[in-house]
Amino acid sequence: MNKTFTFLWVAALAAATGCKTSTPSATTSADAKAPVEETAVAVKSTSIMYPKTEKIPHTDTYHGTQVPDPYRWLEADTAENVAAWVKQQNDVTFDYLAKIPFREQIKQRLTQLWNYPKYGAPFQEGGYYYFYKNDGLQNQSVLYRQKGLNGTPELFLDPNKLSEDGTTSLGSLDFSKDAKYAVYTTSTGGSDWRDAYVLDVATGKKLSDELHWIKFSGTSWHKDGFFYSRYAEPTQGSKLANKNEYHKVYYHKIGTPQSQDKLIWEAKEHPLRLLFAATTEDEKYLILTASEGTSNNSLYVKDLTKANSPIVPLVESFDKEYGVVENIGDKLIVLTNHSAPKYKLIEIDLKKPQQANWKTLVPETENVLNYASLVNNRLLLNYMKDAATLVRVHDTKGKWLHDVALPTIGTASGFSGKKEDKTVFYTFTSFTYPSAIYQYDVATNKSTLFRKSEVDVDMEAYETKQVFYTSKDGTKVPMFITHKKGLVLDGTNPTYLYAYGGFNASMTPSFSIGRMVWLENGGVFAVANIRGGGEYGEAWHKAGMTPNKQNVFDDFISAAEYLINQKYTSSQKLAIAGGSNGGLLIGAVANQRPDLFKVALPAVGVMDMLRFHKFTIGWAWVPEYGSSDDAAQFQNLLKFSPIHNIKEGVSYPATLVTTADHDDRVVPAHSFKYIATLQEKGVGPNPYLIRVDVKAGHGAGKSTTAQIAEATDVWAFTFYNMGVTPYGGQ
């Protein structure tokens, strides 16, 4: 039970009041049958023949300001005319991509690079070590188990058999305390909706238990059942676009139908809350948290050793974060940013839980405390120092004992286990360090390489440096830059700049095999740790939240200018990319500085900042962005909303928007309306295209086949529009 998740792709919410009025005509509702013309029309001076996207007059009035929304009909994700429009857009896009002469060569190289065994860190359950493995090109990783670390692996669960095309993926997996049962969840087509099933661990047989409409939830065992969170089954409209309301916590007993699950917790008066439940390792306590946004939560506890015990509030406000690490008897170890923007560990004695009695175990430091685990009577604390990992070990009284020696500057994840475990595993990676798994002996503080990735790349040929550049308001911002050794700074290198900038999410060093196509062709890869993220704690995060969102865009633009001024690249060789909240980033900066970038790659972006809170879990992002239902926040949102700031007659960067038909986190209507507007208003020779994946979602669980196909098209599009021929055209 670690730090409350604060990423856009695991959101929670905040409702907006209705101060907006709509004035559509009788035929302009979102589900109107707007026609999609079969004939293509030439757009401006480009040679691409885009499908004509019908404009239907529709105007919304926000606090006295009228805002046209002629592509509102594209929000109807299940409508036949929208499906026809998607097909036409994909036809144009894939026709364009098919004509790129080196596209197939990139695909072949990516397939070759991807084809190596990939392992997850082992974990122990009931006398077995379990681990995930992908042989190389399998669509989904397979779960194996073995007796001891030197035992013979045997297949336990293969998600590739759950669908013919590899689009059904595993979500969570949780073993009962006696390791007799395992509950796992699956996602179909990349959706956030989950189905849950139960296995008999000894036989591997699937039991009759089958649960549906689970969303934003794990599972947590207690005796012969488990706790989980779900919504009611959607009764009308689209299950992929409907607003998610009334999250509830249930208990499911093995062998019973879902209809008999016991309701544990709900918030009848607060439909826009996310409710979570998890048991402590000893199953003594049920820890409950509620969230009204993507960060900050209330905290409750229920004593499971006493029949019909009440749910006791520990924190009822929503202004800070509280994540229970574990319990030691009647005391909870809690990770929090209460009076500690960079987080600290506290101890709450449940016999006297009042705030005045809270005890600080490990105080806040100059580095950000990401998460903690309790193993072998030691607290393993994972910190972030300038966006890289630092691991420190303390005893249960809070005393620092030593640091864990890591291979180099990078990202270490894992270090989790049961209280009695003597060793744990962690994964280490960096931009030029393929993922490696280490076994860590807690008592001796010794790490041993357990398994490393055998990639077909000479990583010694590449280097990473961290620089600190100055943003518009004088703020120093870190950035990682990776490239071949011996790079000549002559302003001609193709450069790919990536960032996220929101939701307290930190962009730390990581390895990507798909990125090697870019690097081995002389490309520069840069990651800017802009404000809005969590790299320097809550203050860094808040500096990029509403009403400060422009800081995020200024930081990114300054990163681009640094790369150009330092002669890494030029505006004609600079590509920019980001996904989800990062897609919003790319849309906004491409509008604000279209002259600065050659290629823009917004993925699954939040592009309509006036209506994002109307769909699925979008209301959870109101604390981060603000809401158009608030007059002052509306004015701020309107200034940078990507759809609403595309200007008529401007030449924008070559743009490839990527989204998916099953994305129910950031619904694809954002991307649909954005590209329709860009194709309508943008001029110049650059292409404005959209690539819509089918049977895919926001990103999690995407099959290997789909990942390679998308990476192929993104790199081909980027090289082609920069005038760069990879691999010498051979």
Side-chain angles (χ1 to χ4, degrees):
M1 287 178 286
N2 291 324
K3 179 176 169 181
T4 307
F5 40 55
T6 52
F7 221 137
L8 177 59
W9 10 79
V10 273
L13 27 155
T17 56
C19 25
K20 174 176 69 90
T21 58
S22 297
T23 55
S25 68
T27 59
T28 59
S29 64
D31 59 353
K33 296 294 183 180
V36 179
E37 296 190 6
E38 295 297 327
T39 56
V41 293
V43 176
K44 310 300 189 264
S45 61
T46 180
S47 60
I48 298 175
M49 302 290 284
Y50 299 121
K52 182 179 179 181
T53 306
E54 186 75 9
K55 295 179 68 176
I56 297 180
H58 182 107
T59 299
D60 291 325
T61 301
Y62 298 83
H63 316 287
T65 300
Q66 292 190 332
V67 180
D69 192 3
Y71 299 123
R72 175 72 60 85
W73 63 274
L74 288 171
E75 293 179 359
D77 66 308
T78 59
E80 292 182 5
N81 60 314
V82 176
W85 179 88
V86 168
K87 182 181 184 303
Q88 290 181 11
Q89 290 286 346
N90 266 346
D91 287 347
V92 170
T93 297
F94 286 110
D95 179 68
Y96 176 92
L97 294 169
K99 294 175 181 176
I100 297 176
F102 43 77
R103 180 190 184 208
E104 184 59 30
Q105 187 178 7
I106 289 176
K107 182 179 181 180
Q108 291 175 3
R109 178 55 177 155
L110 278 170
T111 303
Q112 180 186 26
L113 286 167
W114 226 283
N115 193 14
Y116 70 95
K118 305 167 190 68
Y119 291 86
F123 57 96
Q124 293 187 68
E125 295 288 350
Y128 285 93
Y129 279 97
Y130 290 81
F131 64 94
Y132 289 94
K133 179 187 177 185
N134 189 306
D135 289 340
L137 297 176
Q138 290 175 290
N139 278 318
Q140 303 290 339
S141 294
V142 179
L143 182 61
Y144 294 89
R145 68 179 181 181
Q146 63 189 50
K147 285 284 189 180
L149 291 177
N150 297 314
T152 302
E154 61 183 39
L155 175 68
F156 184 71
L157 182 60
D158 185 359
N160 295 290
K161 296 180 179 179
L162 301 178
S163 61
E164 293 184 1
D165 56 4
T167 59
T168 297
S169 61
L170 282 181
S172 62
L173 173 73
D174 193 27
F175 287 81
S176 60
K177 187 173 177 62
D178 59 8
K180 183 177 179 181
Y181 300 109
V183 56
Y184 67 94
T185 63
T186 64
S187 167
T188 300
S191 170
D192 277 336
W193 290 111
R194 299 287 188 266
D195 301 310
Y197 306 93
V198 179
L199 292 175
D200 181 296
V201 172
T203 65
K205 180 181 178 181
K206 188 164 73 171
L207 304 184
S208 61
D209 303 75
E210 187 172 320
L211 285 67
H212 305 290
W213 306 114
I214 300 170
K215 203 173 196 182
F216 307 121
S217 173
T219 54
S220 197
W221 285 89
H222 176 61
K223 295 185 176 179
D224 56 352
F226 55 85
F227 297 96
Y228 71 100
S229 303
R230 60 162 291 191
Y231 289 103
E233 179 179 354
T235 57
Q236 60 183 359
S238 168
K239 70 175 184 178
L240 295 178
N242 285 355
K243 195 174 187 178
N244 300 142
E245 299 178 308
Y246 298 104
H247 212 216
K248 299 177 182 180
V249 173
Y250 288 88
Y251 176 78
H252 174 78
K253 185 176 180 180
I254 299 302
T256 63
Q258 188 176 16
S259 59
Q260 294 181 14
D261 288 357
K262 182 180 179 181
L263 176 63
I264 301 299
W265 197 36
E266 62 180 334
K268 291 182 179 180
E269 306 302 318
H270 304 281
L272 302 185
R273 280 187 183 173
L274 285 180
L275 307 180
F276 307 96
T279 53
T280 53
E281 185 182 314
D282 58 10
E283 296 189 2
K284 183 176 182 179
Y285 294 109
L286 179 66
I287 307 300
L288 299 142
T289 61
S291 175
E292 292 187 337
T294 52
S295 59
N296 302 333
N297 60 280
S298 56
L299 179 64
Y300 303 79
V301 65
K302 177 180 173 67
D303 189 339
L304 294 175
T305 67
K306 300 176 182 178
N308 301 315
S309 64
I311 294 175
V312 178
L314 300 179
V315 180
E316 294 189 271
S317 60
F318 293 91
D319 58 346
K320 300 297 179 184
E321 292 182 31
Y322 302 89
V324 175
V325 177
E326 229 353 301
N327 72 307
I328 300 178
D330 293 326
K331 297 177 180 179
L332 298 181
I333 299 173
V334 180
L335 177 63
T336 182
N337 60 0
H338 175 81
S339 300
K342 293 184 178 180
Y343 298 87
K344 63 182 178 181
L345 278 187
I346 63 172
E347 181 182 86
I348 300 178
D349 188 338
L350 295 178
K351 294 179 180 178
K352 44 182 181 179
Q354 298 79 11
Q355 184 176 323
N357 298 320
W358 292 0
K359 176 183 176 182
T360 297
L361 274 181
V362 180
E364 180 186 24
T365 72
E366 61 183 7
N367 301 312
V368 179
L369 178 55
N370 281 323
Y371 62 89
S373 58
L374 176 61
V375 180
N376 195 19
N377 212 34
R378 295 287 185 267
L379 290 167
L380 308 182
L381 308 186
N382 187 301
Y383 286 92
M384 183 166 45
K385 180 178 182 180
D386 291 332
T389 297
L390 170 67
V391 180
R392 316 205 79 176
V393 181
H394 292 244
D395 66 19
T396 55
K397 301 297 183 182
K399 179 184 177 181
W400 173 78
L401 301 176
H402 41 249
D403 291 349
V404 177
L406 299 176
T408 184
I409 295 176
T411 302
S413 57
F415 292 98
S416 59
K418 295 181 172 61
K419 292 179 183 178
E420 68 272 15
D421 288 346
K422 304 300 182 184
T423 63
V424 293
F425 294 85
Y426 66 91
T427 300
F428 185 85
T429 184
S430 192
F431 295 110
T432 59
Y433 198 103
S435 294
I437 299 169
Y438 287 83
Q439 184 175 4
Y440 175 68
D441 186 293
V442 179
T444 64
N445 189 34
K446 182 180 179 181
S447 293
T448 305
L449 180 64
F450 178 74
R451 181 174 281 138
K452 66 177 181 179
S453 299
E454 301 294 341
V455 298
D456 184 25
V457 177
D458 177 16
M459 297 312 305
E460 292 298 319
Y462 301 90
E463 63 182 351
T464 297
K465 65 181 70 173
Q466 186 178 44
V467 301
F468 291 82
Y469 65 90
T470 304
S471 190
K472 183 178 180 179
D473 64 357
T475 300
K476 292 291 185 181
V477 181
M479 178 164 55
F480 293 103
I481 304 174
T482 303
H483 51 72
K484 281 185 178 180
K485 292 178 179 177
L487 181 80
V488 178
L489 300 181
D490 59 3
T492 67
N493 303 296
T495 298
Y496 180 100
L497 173 61
Y498 182 89
Y500 185 78
F503 294 89
N504 206 27
S506 303
M507 299 295 100
T508 59
S510 64
F511 180 78
S512 166
I513 193 63
R515 192 186 300 147
M516 294 311 304
V517 163
W518 184 254
L519 290 171
E520 66 186 13
N521 281 283
V524 175
F525 177 75
V527 176
N529 299 106
I530 60 181
R531 282 174 284 184
E535 286 85 350
Y536 294 104
E538 187 59 13
W540 195 253
H541 174 209
K542 287 184 175 179
M545 292 174 63
T546 185
N548 304 314
K549 194 65 177 178
Q550 186 58 43
N551 286 337
V552 176
F553 312 137
D554 290 342
D555 287 358
F556 190 84
I557 289 169
S558 296
E561 291 175 335
Y562 175 91
L563 292 168
I564 292 171
N565 292 337
Q566 296 298 313
K567 302 297 184 182
Y568 282 96
T569 192
S570 69
S571 60
Q572 292 302 302
K573 288 289 196 296
L574 180 57
I576 55 172
S580 197
N581 172 75
L584 155 65
L585 166 69
I586 301 308
V589 298
N591 287 341
Q592 294 181 13
R593 288 294 306 275
D595 60 302
L596 195 57
F597 319 110
K598 180 58 181 177
V599 176
L601 302 165
V604 293
V606 187
M607 300 307 210
D608 188 339
M609 299 309 298
L610 305 185
R611 288 181 55 76
F612 69 86
H613 58 301
K614 304 291 186 182
F615 306 100
T616 62
I617 201 67
W619 46 260
W621 315 331
V622 170
E624 184 80 13
Y625 295 140
S627 168
S628 59
D629 295 331
D630 177 280
Q633 292 175 351
F634 159 71
Q635 292 295 337
N636 185 54
L637 290 167
L638 188 61
K639 290 177 182 178
F640 64 80
S641 178
I643 288 174
H644 301 96
N645 286 279
I646 298 172
K647 296 181 173 60
E648 185 81 38
V650 173
S651 179
Y652 290 97
T655 302
L656 179 62
V657 177
T658 51
T659 188
D661 63 348
H662 277 60
D663 189 348
D664 49 358
R665 189 81 55 82
V666 180
V667 294
H670 284 278
S671 295
F672 294 171
K673 292 166 67 175
Y674 173 77
I675 200 64
T677 307
L678 188 59
Q679 289 176 353
E680 173 201 349
K681 295 183 177 181
V683 299
N686 292 326
Y688 310 130
L689 301 173
I690 185 169
R691 184 187 188 278
V692 185
D693 250 341
V694 296
K695 298 181 74 173
H698 200 61
K702 182 176 288 189
S703 70
T704 295
T705 299
Q707 290 182 65
I708 291 175
E710 182 173 324
T712 294
D713 292 341
V714 167
W715 292 133
F717 180 89
T718 304
F719 279 125
Y720 187 65
N721 280 281
M722 287 183 178
V724 175
T725 302
Y727 303 110
Q730 299 176 357

